[in-house]
Amino acid sequence: MSNLQVVTGAGPVGWTVAEQLADLGHRVRVLTRSGNGPEHPLVERRRVDVSDPARLGPALEGAGAVYHCIHGSAYRADTWERELPAAESTVLEAAGRTGAVVVFPESLYSYSEPDRVMTEDSPRASTTGKRGVRARLLDRRAESATPTVSVVASDFFGPHARTAHAGERMVPAILAGRSPRVLGSPDVPHSFTYVPDLAAAMIAAAANPAVWNRVLHAPTGPAGTQRDLVAAFAAAAQVPAPKVGTIPTWMLRGAALVNRDARELTEMLYQFTDPFVMDSAYSEELLGLRPTPLPEAAATTVRWWRER
C-alpha cells in the first residue's frame, strides 16, 4: 500500500484516522472544505470539496487508500439522500482511477433486525428514513468496481466525539458534578464504540486486501448500559457517580409532531429504549485487534475533555 493516505473529513473519525496514520509514519492528506485537520509534520491539509470531481481527482493521485469520513450537513434523511450518495460516487470513481481502496466508517442504522445481537452477517435491509439511506449506500459500495471496506461502529465515545450521545451531553456534565440526561432508558444494554478502536480497524482493513469488499465490525467491548458508561467516566475522573436523568420519550414524540429535528431523532429512539447490541468477535479475529478496555478508554476520554 502506498505510503500516501487520504482522509476526507475531519470529524471525530477522520481526525483520529489521520492522527493514527501519521503516528504510524504514513504521509497523510486530509481533505475538507475548511482546511481543518490535525497538526502533524506528516499531515497535509487541503481545502477540497470532495463532491467536486475536478478538485478531488488530483488530490487522490498516488494514494494507496482513501478513508471517506464525511457526514451530511444536517441530521436529516432528505439531506443525506441529497448529499451522501453523490459524494460517495465521486470518491469511488476517483479512487478507482488511482487504484486506491476506499474505507468507510459505517453505522448500525441499516440493520433491519436490531432486536437481535447484530453481527457481520445480520441483515441490512432497512428501507425508510436515515436507515434506508445507509442501507442503499452499502448496496452501492457492493456494486462498485472500486474495492471498498465498510467498518461498522455503534454510538461513539472518545476524544473529538463532541456531538455524540456520550459526548458533550454526558462527559462535561459528569465533570461539573451535574446529572447527565440520556435518551430512552439508562438501564438497557447498548453497545458503544471507542473512536480510536474504529480508526485502528479502518487502517488495518485498508492494509489487508484479503478483507476488502466486506462489511466488518469495529472492535467494540461488551454492551453495558448508559448508566454503566456514566459510572465509568465518573470513576476515570475520580468523582462520585452522578444520578442519571432521562429525556422523556413522550416529550420527544410530542415535539416530533411539530419539529423536524425532533422527528429525525425520534426515528432512532429504538436504539435507546430497547437493547441495542453489536458483536465484533469475527472482525476482531480477522483484523487481529481487540477493543480498548473501558476503564482505559474512559480515562483517555475524560483527559481529552479536561484539556478542552
Side-chain angles (χ1 to χ4, degrees), residues 185-254:
S185 169
D187 296 312
V188 297
H190 187 99
S191 293
F192 283 92
T193 301
Y194 184 49
V195 173
D197 290 340
L198 169 59
M202 293 173 64
I203 293 168
N208 184 0
V211 306
W212 292 357
N213 299 313
R214 300 193 195 190
V215 175
L216 304 179
H217 281 189
T220 299
T225 67
Q226 293 186 87
R227 194 184 304 277
D228 292 335
L229 190 60
V230 168
F233 288 141
Q238 297 183 321
V239 299
K243 294 181 179 179
V244 180
T246 60
I247 301 171
T249 56
W250 62 264
M251 184 170 65
L252 276 175
R253 296 187 192 281

Side-chain angles (χ1 to χ4, degrees), residues 13 15 26 47 58-59 64 73 87 113 138 140 175 206 235 246 262 290 293:
V13 180
W15 193 291
H26 292 284
R47 294 178 181 268
S73 61
E113 295 181 359
L138 286 166
R140 292 188 181 103
L175 297 180
T246 60
R290 295 291 183 271

Side-chain angles (χ1 to χ4, degrees), residues 269-285:
L269 273 177
Y270 70 95
Q271 298 182 355
F272 296 94
T273 57
D274 300 297
F276 191 72
V277 179
M278 68 177 285
D279 181 273
S280 57
Y282 173 76
S283 294
E284 290 174 27
E285 290 300 322

Side-chain angles (χ1 to χ4, degrees), residues 12-303:
V13 180
W15 193 291
T16 306
V17 168
E19 285 183 328
Q20 290 190 10
L21 285 167
D23 288 343
L24 290 169
H26 292 284
R27 290 188 300 121
V28 185
R29 184 174 294 154
V30 178
L31 311 180
T32 65
R33 291 178 177 177
S34 65
N36 195 20
E39 294 186 5
H40 190 286
L42 291 176
V43 174
E44 172 196 1
R45 296 175 293 182
R46 288 193 186 182
R47 294 178 181 268
V48 175
D49 182 346
V50 300
S51 64
D52 181 353
R55 297 287 308 280
L56 181 64
L60 299 193
E61 289 181 3
V66 179
Y67 303 84
H68 187 53
C69 304
I70 71 167
H71 49 80
S73 61
Y75 188 68
R76 296 184 175 183
D78 59 350
T79 301
W80 288 13
E81 194 74 76
R82 183 173 63 251
E83 297 176 354
L84 300 182
E88 287 202 8
S89 177
T90 301
V91 169
L92 287 168
E93 290 177 9
R97 288 193 295 271
T98 198
V101 62
V102 183
V103 186
F104 299 88
E106 189 50 71
S107 70
L108 291 163
Y109 283 29
S110 66
Y111 285 65
S112 44
E113 295 181 359
D115 53 325
R116 302 183 181 184
V117 175
M118 291 168 281
T119 71
E120 294 84 350
D121 293 327
S122 294
R124 293 179 285 269
S126 296
T127 58
T128 60
K130 295 183 292 297
R131 300 177 66 192
V133 174
R134 299 312 310 186
R136 290 188 289 277
L137 288 173
L138 286 166
D139 289 342
R140 292 188 181 103
R141 294 171 199 167
E143 296 166 357
S144 173
T146 302
T148 69
V149 187
S150 298
V151 184
V152 174
S154 192
D155 289 283
F156 298 151
F157 74 98
H160 307 291
R162 294 179 181 273
T163 60
H165 291 286
E168 61 191 4
R169 294 196 299 272
M170 184 178 288
V171 184
I174 295 168
L175 297 180
R178 302 193 307 270
S179 296
R181 300 178 72 198
V182 302
L183 284 178
S185 169
D187 296 312
V188 297
H190 187 99
S191 293
F192 283 92
T193 301
Y194 184 49
V195 173
D197 290 340
L198 169 59
M202 293 173 64
I203 293 168
N208 184 0
V211 306
W212 292 357
N213 299 313
R214 300 193 195 190
V215 175
L216 304 179
H217 281 189
T220 299
T225 67
Q226 293 186 87
R227 194 184 304 277
D228 292 335
L229 190 60
V230 168
F233 288 141
Q238 297 183 321
V239 299
K243 294 181 179 179
V244 180
T246 60
I247 301 171
T249 56
W250 62 264
M251 184 170 65
L252 276 175
R253 296 187 192 281
L257 298 175
V258 294
N259 181 276
R260 175 63 182 276
D261 291 336
R263 187 157 60 249
E264 296 286 347
L265 186 59
T266 300
E267 177 194 5
M268 313 313 300
L269 273 177
Y270 70 95
Q271 298 182 355
F272 296 94
T273 57
D274 300 297
F276 191 72
V277 179
M278 68 177 285
D279 181 273
S280 57
Y282 173 76
S283 294
E284 290 174 27
E285 290 300 322
L286 206 60
L287 298 173
L289 298 172
R290 295 291 183 271
T292 302
L294 181 55
E296 179 183 339
T300 302
T301 302
V302 165
R303 183 165 57 250

